[in-house]
Amino acid sequence: MSRKNHRIAVLVLEGAKPLDVGIPAQVFSNRPSMPYEVRVCGAAPGLVTGGDGLSYHVAEGLDAFEQADTIFIPGYREPATTEPPATVVGALMAARERGTRLAAISTGAFALAATGLLDGKRATTHWHYTKALADRHPLVRVDENVLFVDEGDVLTSAGAASGIDLCLHLVRRDHGVGLSNHVARRLVAAPYRSGGQAQYVPRSVPEPLGDLFANTREWALAHLSERLTLETLARHARVSPRTFSRRFVEDTGYTPMQWVLRARVDLARELLERSDLGVAQIADRVGLGTGANLRLHFQRILGTSPTEYRHTFSA
């Protein structure tokens, strides 16, 4: 895939939440290691009153959309009772018609929904506002139980931290696991959380148990080449296999073995991107045994072959 700069426009609306604005600006920051170029804009150039006592001075207006490959809409205050400016709605619709990718963080989903582009599609927003989004835009299939939703060229995420997950997902989509992991390390963020992971868990989880599970996932990532079973993971977490399996699904959205398989495929992706190892060598190194097994899971999970994947990211 080409490493030329992908142009990002971050739209700052009245009441914009500081963290939501900062996430795409930081993830896709203008630096030599990043094939992205970020521009921050508003409905018009000048001062924009944000949320939480902060304001933003943006140098560009909606004309920044004309050169953008992706437009981010950060969350803003009072989304259920305010309408985005008609000029913004029209500019977003025109950008999508030109093929621009649109992504909303948190309550930015309300502005995106106002365009009608989410009608008939799945979408999410911060859990506190999911009912309001569904009431205000009944044609949108609101999912309150996920971190982000990828509908191709229209994407939405839950609260602020899940905006990082959405951004890393797009880096992974655009340029592969290697660059995504590099960005995650720079941000000191989790390199991968699935979009289907729950926003929050409506139960009380003892904190030590959560810590143990995080430690077990980290341990598993360092031992992917070995034989990992449900019993092995549960033993490491010092709980019963039944408890481990149930809590793991609630916390991640995957069964333990589904999570391990995807971790192995992700590691295989990074090795295909960053090394000259053969398919059989990579399969052995990530714990998938044979090249045939790696090809099977690559096709099932990613819809491509290891060879085709390596070719895609070798350009």
Side-chain angles (χ1 to χ4, degrees), residues 114-126:
T115 67
L117 294 169
L118 290 178
D119 289 356
K121 293 182 170 64
R122 285 178 65 238
T124 194
T125 188
H126 189 287

Side-chain angles (χ1 to χ4, degrees), residues 106-114 117-151 155-159 195 199-200:
S106 188
T107 54
F110 283 78
L112 187 52
L117 294 169
L118 290 178
D119 289 356
K121 293 182 170 64
R122 285 178 65 238
T124 194
T125 188
H126 189 287
W127 62 266
H128 185 76
Y129 289 97
T130 50
K131 185 178 185 302
L133 180 62
D135 290 344
R136 195 175 184 89
H137 300 282
L139 297 181
V140 179
R141 294 159 46 209
V142 179
D143 190 339
E144 66 178 0
N145 295 315
V146 295
L147 290 180
F148 62 84
V149 175
D150 182 343
E151 286 278 2
L155 304 95
T156 52
S157 79
Q199 289 192 38
Y200 67 102

Side-chain angles (χ1 to χ4, degrees), residues 288-305:
L288 287 175
T290 66
N293 202 28
L294 176 59
R295 292 185 187 94
L296 173 67
H297 292 301
F298 241 70
Q299 189 63 48
R300 186 168 62 82
I301 293 174
L302 302 176
T304 188
S305 70

